[in-house]
Amino acid sequence: MANTIKKMIRKHKKKKLMAQKARLARQQGKIETEKEKDDYQTRLSKHKRKVAKKTLITVTAVIVIVAAFIIYMEKRSYHNYKILQTSEQEDIVSTNYVEMEGNILRYSPDGVSLVSNKMETLWSETYSMQNPVADVQGSRAVIADKDGNSIFMFDKNGKTGNVTTSYSIVKAKVSENGLVAAILDGGDDTWINFYSFDGSLIAENQTRIDDPGYPLDVAISDNGVIMMVTYQFVDGNDTTSYVAFYNFGDVGQNEDDRIVSGYKYKGVVVPQIEYLDQNRSIAIRDDGFTLYRGGQIPKEVKTIKEDKEIVSTFFDDDLVGLVFKNDSKDKLYTMNVYKLDGTLKFKKDFNIPYTTIKMSDGNILMYNSSQICIMNSKGVQKYMGAVDGTVKNFFKIGWNRYILVSDGGVNLIKLS
């Protein structure tokens, strides 16, 4: 009996000892597992930091390379150009060309066509006009017979509508959504008509020379809600300009003649106005320019006046340029280029005998009958040189791509 009890005690102790060993083994394994996990997390964290560091170095290097490339391209000047494409079968004398959202709108007294930058005809329409003039905004265009009675509206797919007016056309402008405003001369009275893209009449406004004056120019906001008109009248012995904003939305329905705001400028001529988008517009004055802002009720926000006589102006959606005669014999002109908050971006003296100056796709283009000059938006001269033939028109069509129209034909050129 005693032996049996001793055996049972030994067996119990053995089981207890084995259980303790198993428990210790489990605890040790857990410790080792936790340690392995910690080691793994540490290694993973280090790996992530290395990857992030390499990624940051790579991204920084790419940014530096891209920035250096941009700076290089901005500073780079070209000395030649090569012709990429040419179209010689053109009636250069009676045909005009204007850029239209990467393509070329080609129009003449007989008709209009949209041509790709590879000189492939995308569509064409015929009409009969004596003196066609065009205005383009984005993918919309209007062609009007100045001093005639025909207006045609177009988009990237072709004609959208046309109008035969009761009075002779002075000017026609189009908005980005295809609405058209036209100044019509009725003798003692003038009319400012507003048309849909299909040619249907939206509104008409009769004006007189004494109230509010003779309309010189008209512009439309991108969404077609606001029509901007500049009038000129004589106030006593002074010539006075009046810039009026007509709202054809809900905001303007309770206002007299739908005029929601207007500004008079005594002793100033405002020959040109333009909407830059649906909220911003500009009035080019004979002494500078005025900027306006507001989607429903435009307000005057900045006026830049110059004491010198302005000989040329140019602008786009980002910049406004004024050119003055220079007193220096070495430099004929001075160019002041402003941002659209009115701050001066750069000033440059130059000696280019231009007859035309304009903005085209972010570049400042100058040319006369035999020379062209290209500056970027920072005033860096990219190219200056003579061209073959007599230059009729010149504009940018894409990155380092230009359309050069001369008496020898239409050329797509690239600076080299």
Side-chain angles (χ1 to χ4, degrees):
M1 182 69 179
N3 291 333
T4 301
I5 293 173
K6 288 179 179 180
K7 287 181 179 179
M8 290 178 65
I9 291 173
R10 284 197 301 270
K11 188 176 181 180
H12 175 72
K13 288 181 176 179
K14 187 177 181 180
K15 284 184 177 179
K16 187 176 181 181
L17 182 60
M18 291 176 66
Q20 288 176 344
K21 288 182 178 180
R23 188 163 55 250
L24 288 172
R26 286 197 300 269
Q27 290 176 349
Q28 184 67 28
K30 186 176 180 181
I31 291 171
E32 290 177 355
T33 301
E34 292 296 329
K35 185 178 180 181
E36 289 175 356
K37 286 183 179 179
D38 291 342
D39 290 342
Y40 173 76
Q41 292 296 333
T42 300
R43 291 195 303 272
L44 181 61
S45 178
K46 287 182 179 179
H47 176 71
K48 287 182 177 179
R49 286 197 295 269
K50 286 181 179 179
V51 171
K53 186 176 181 180
K54 288 181 179 179
T55 302
L56 180 61
I57 292 172
T58 302
V59 170
T60 303
V62 170
I63 291 174
V64 170
I65 292 171
V66 171
F69 178 76
I70 291 173
I71 293 172
Y72 167 74
M73 294 306 296
E74 286 181 345
K75 298 292 185 182
R76 180 185 178 186
S77 296
Y78 299 86
H79 304 286
N80 296 293
Y81 69 86
K82 63 180 180 179
I83 298 175
L84 303 179
Q85 191 97 14
T86 187
S87 177
E88 297 179 354
Q89 304 300 318
E90 300 281 349
D91 181 7
I92 301 299
V93 175
S94 61
T95 304
N96 293 288
Y97 303 80
V98 62
E99 190 270 338
M100 182 173 171
E101 209 170 55
N103 295 312
I104 307 161
L105 191 72
R106 178 175 58 189
Y107 63 97
S108 71
D110 300 320
V112 58
S113 61
L114 187 66
V115 180
S116 72
N117 56 20
K118 295 182 179 179
M119 307 308 293
E120 299 170 344
T121 300
L122 303 177
W123 55 258
S124 62
E125 295 283 345
T126 60
Y127 53 65
S128 179
M129 295 186 186
Q130 295 296 317
N131 187 20
V133 291
D135 183 54
V136 174
Q137 293 293 334
S139 63
R140 299 284 188 166
V142 60
I143 298 179
D145 192 6
K146 187 175 181 181
D147 300 324
N149 303 99
S150 297
I151 298 176
F152 284 76
M153 297 86 163
F154 303 92
D155 65 11
K156 61 182 180 181
N157 298 313
K159 188 177 80 169
T160 63
N162 65 282
V163 176
T164 300
T165 62
S166 301
Y167 304 104
S168 60
I169 300 163
V170 177
K171 187 169 291 189
K173 292 285 192 70
V174 68
S175 69
E176 283 221 357
N177 65 354
L179 302 184
V180 172
I183 300 174
L184 308 178
D185 189 353
D188 293 336
D189 300 330
T190 55
W191 297 81
I192 301 174
N193 288 4
F194 201 35
Y195 301 99
S196 178
F197 60 86
D198 62 358
S200 56
L201 182 66
I202 296 175
E204 57 183 357
N205 183 43
Q206 184 179 10
T207 69
R208 297 185 62 85
I209 293 177
D210 56 344
D211 183 24
Y214 186 83
L216 298 181
D217 200 6
V218 62
I220 316 172
S221 62
D222 285 358
N223 59 7
V225 173
I226 306 292
M227 181 171 69
M228 179 184 185
V229 183
T230 173
Y231 298 94
Q232 185 174 325
F233 64 95
V234 177
D235 184 12
N237 295 323
D238 294 315
T239 296
T240 300
S241 292
Y242 175 50
V243 176
F245 293 90
Y246 298 78
N247 188 310
F248 290 97
D250 294 338
V251 175
Q253 62 184 354
N254 296 323
E255 302 294 336
D256 291 341
D257 295 327
R258 289 188 171 268
I259 297 177
V260 291
S261 61
Y263 300 90
K264 291 183 178 180
Y265 304 104
K266 192 172 183 179
V268 175
V269 178
V270 182
Q272 186 179 9
I273 54 177
E274 192 71 46
Y275 250 94
L276 307 173
D277 54 37
Q278 67 185 43
N279 295 312
R280 300 178 304 156
S281 55
I282 184 172
I284 302 296
R285 308 152 49 116
D286 62 353
D287 64 349
F289 61 90
T290 297
L291 298 166
Y292 309 86
R293 186 179 293 273
Q296 296 293 332
I297 304 176
K299 301 293 185 182
E300 181 181 290
V301 294
K302 188 73 174 181
T303 295
I304 299 296
K305 292 185 178 181
E306 298 287 354
D307 296 330
K308 293 183 178 181
E309 181 184 357
I310 299 170
V311 295
S312 297
T313 60
F314 56 91
F315 61 89
D316 64 3
D317 295 348
D318 299 308
L319 301 174
V320 185
L322 307 177
V323 180
F324 317 93
K325 278 284 186 69
N326 201 330
D327 296 331
S328 171
K329 293 181 179 180
D330 297 329
K331 301 292 184 179
L332 292 174
Y333 304 102
T334 297
M335 174 192 302
N336 285 358
V337 176
Y338 298 86
K339 298 178 183 178
L340 288 185
D341 60 2
T343 59
L344 183 67
K345 185 172 184 178
F346 69 85
K347 182 176 182 178
K348 188 179 184 70
D349 295 331
F350 62 100
N351 192 32
I352 301 167
Y354 70 93
T355 54
T356 300
I357 184 170
K358 61 184 178 182
M359 294 291 298
S360 181
D361 194 20
N363 281 177
I364 302 168
L365 305 184
M366 291 176 277
Y367 59 91
N368 54 38
S369 62
S370 61
Q371 295 174 302
I372 60 174
C373 178
I374 302 168
M375 289 184 189
N376 66 13
S377 59
K378 294 184 177 181
V380 177
Q381 184 172 297
K382 307 296 289 181
Y383 178 81
M384 173 68 190
V387 298
D388 295 331
T390 302
V391 180
K392 301 292 186 181
N393 202 346
F394 181 55
F395 54 90
K396 191 179 179 186
I397 199 72
W399 186 82
N400 200 22
R401 300 290 191 276
Y402 301 84
I403 293 294
L404 176 61
V405 182
S406 69
D407 55 358
V410 179
N411 294 320
L412 173 64
I413 67 171
K414 174 186 177 180
L415 302 181
S416 61

